[in-house]
Amino acid sequence: DLKLCQLSPFLLQVLQVTNLLRIFPIYASEAEAIQAFSKGPQFHEETFGASRTRIVCIDTSHDLLAYLSALLNRSGYEVITTRHTSDAQLFVRVTRPHVLICGPGMQTNESAMKGFTEINPKVQLLLLPSDFSTAEAGQAGIDLVNRIRLLLSDQQ
């Protein structure tokens, strides 16, 4: 599914002229567009893949999120990353991930940490150590994937 939001007047006009406006749903805000995925009949397991474990990652660092996304995608996981607590809460509510990874930049926000488990009590919370970004990348990646596998095996 593709949902569009916050379109410029020019792009809106292009979509109208090309008759694509009736094909793509348009929303005023990103939050509305993301929320719409949970309402549509096409959303559910087929959207993210029933066989893949979903993981949401949140941290303030773009670099850390890019590393986590590449590492976990290569390891066969469905990964969603964000730097914003409100987006992460929405992703946890809508996508029902198996694991939520919180980087060191987010762990000081105790109310957000508590809020994630209130939104989805089944989500496994994995907190990255404060030295994760400075550790040797290969070993840190292996350790993280092993921690995720252990979390998921304990869940079953």
Side-chain angles (χ1 to χ4, degrees):
D1 241 2
L2 177 66
K3 303 197 185 307
L4 305 175
C5 65
Q6 300 172 329
L7 298 180
S8 69
F10 174 75
L11 187 53
L12 188 59
Q13 184 179 14
V14 169
L15 292 173
Q16 286 172 331
V17 169
T18 58
N19 286 326
L20 292 174
L21 196 55
R22 58 190 170 89
I23 295 174
F24 298 111
I26 297 173
Y27 299 88
S29 71
E30 183 179 16
E32 288 175 65
I34 292 169
Q35 187 66 33
F37 280 103
S38 68
K39 295 177 183 173
Q42 66 277 45
F43 180 85
H44 292 298
E45 294 302 322
E46 68 271 11
T47 303
F48 286 96
S51 63
R52 294 182 75 190
T53 299
R54 287 180 297 280
I55 298 176
V56 171
C57 303
I58 180 170
D59 192 67
T60 55
S61 167
H62 287 290
D63 293 338
L64 177 61
L65 292 175
Y67 173 74
L68 291 173
S69 181
L71 170 74
L72 298 174
N73 275 310
R74 263 197 324 265
S75 298
Y77 298 108
E78 187 75 41
V79 182
I80 302 167
T81 64
T82 183
R83 295 179 60 231
H84 306 284
T85 304
S86 60
D87 291 346
Q89 289 172 339
L90 193 56
F91 292 144
V92 167
R93 181 178 298 112
V94 172
T95 67
R96 313 295 291 169
H98 300 86
V99 178
L100 172 65
I101 298 176
C102 295
M106 283 293 155
Q107 295 174 24
T108 57
N109 188 342
E110 291 178 24
S111 63
M113 297 295 108
K114 184 179 178 190
F116 291 130
T117 53
E118 288 174 358
I119 292 169
N120 181 356
K122 293 183 180 180
V123 71
Q124 295 288 321
L125 191 59
L126 195 153
L127 305 176
L128 295 180
S130 58
D131 65 344
F132 184 84
S133 295
T134 58
E136 194 276 314
Q139 190 59 50
I142 291 168
D143 292 344
L144 177 61
V145 170
N146 287 336
R147 284 179 64 194
I148 292 169
R149 289 182 181 146
L150 184 63
L151 265 179
L152 294 172
S153 69
D154 289 346
Q155 201 175 32
Q156 295 174 355

